[in-house]
């Protein structure tokens, strides 16, 4: 996976958003290290119930956005397509599946993963209210 330095942000709001994303990723990874279950969820799923059950929630589409900004999206898209994901599946989600395949084959989260990467999930959640082509449940990358 090729990553380049993230773009320089020019507004306080963008810097704060990046700080919040970094904190969220780090907190999710830490919860996984503590043995908490992890759910990968597509954006748009109401995750309050998961949080109330002490389940950490990670968003592969968010990782897809970060990979796109950092320059690693093409490698992950190609990896996902090599694993059999169709070209017409949501690219942000497909980047997450390419990342999952990469982590599975490497056995560890890559050091250059966007914002530190996502922990391995024990479950996937999806919805069709935003994208009708979310293939959650078709394949389990772990």
């Amino acid at each position: 996976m090729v990553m380049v330095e993230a773009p320089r942000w020019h507004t306080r709001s963008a810097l704060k958003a990046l700080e919040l994303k970094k904190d969220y990723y780090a907190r999710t990874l830490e919860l996984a290290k503590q043995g908490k279950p992890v759910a990968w969820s597509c954006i748009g799923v109401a995750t309050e119930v998961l949080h109330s059950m002490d389940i950490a929630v990670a968003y592969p589409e968010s990782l897809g956005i970060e990979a796109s900004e950092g320059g690693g999206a093409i490698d992950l898209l190609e990896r996902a397509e090599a694993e059999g994901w169709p070209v017409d599946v949501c690219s942000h989600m497909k980047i997450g599946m390419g990342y999952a395949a990469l982590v599975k084959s490497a056995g560890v989260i890559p050091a250059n993963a966007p914002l530190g990467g996502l922990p391995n999930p024990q479950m996937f959640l999806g919805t069709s209210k935003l994208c009708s082509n979310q293939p959650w449940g078709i394949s389990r990358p772990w």
Side-chain angles (χ1 to χ4, degrees):
M1 175 168 52
V2 176
M3 297 298 295
V4 295
E5 186 175 331
R8 299 284 183 238
W9 301 101
H10 300 287
T11 66
R12 285 183 291 174
S13 296
L15 287 171
K16 184 63 177 175
L18 181 60
E19 177 186 322
L20 290 170
K21 285 191 282 185
K22 285 180 180 179
D23 289 348
Y24 189 85
Y25 274 59
R27 189 170 59 248
T28 304
L29 287 166
E30 182 56 36
L31 289 169
K33 286 179 187 173
Q34 294 172 11
K36 304 286 184 191
V38 175
W40 276 20
S41 174
C42 73
I43 295 168
V45 170
T47 56
E48 293 83 359
V49 173
L50 296 173
H51 288 293
S52 73
M53 295 187 304
D54 210 19
I55 297 172
V57 180
Y59 300 94
E61 291 123 330
S62 176
L63 182 111
I65 293 165
E66 294 304 320
S68 297
E69 291 175 359
I74 298 299
D75 290 343
L76 295 173
L77 285 167
E78 289 174 350
R79 180 65 181 254
E81 289 171 8
E83 295 285 325
W85 293 96
V87 295
D88 61 346
V89 168
C90 169
S91 293
H92 289 141
M93 192 285 308
K94 191 164 47 172
I95 290 169
M97 294 299 98
Y99 168 83
L102 179 68
V103 171
K104 181 179 180 181
S105 69
V108 296
I109 294 172
N112 61 350
L115 297 178
L118 298 176
N120 293 352
Q122 283 70 51
M123 67 186 86
F124 293 90
L125 293 144
T127 179
S128 62
K129 69 180 177 183
L130 297 176
C131 299
S132 62
N133 60 2
Q134 294 285 345
W136 302 106
I138 294 172
S139 172
R140 183 180 164 112
W142 275 272

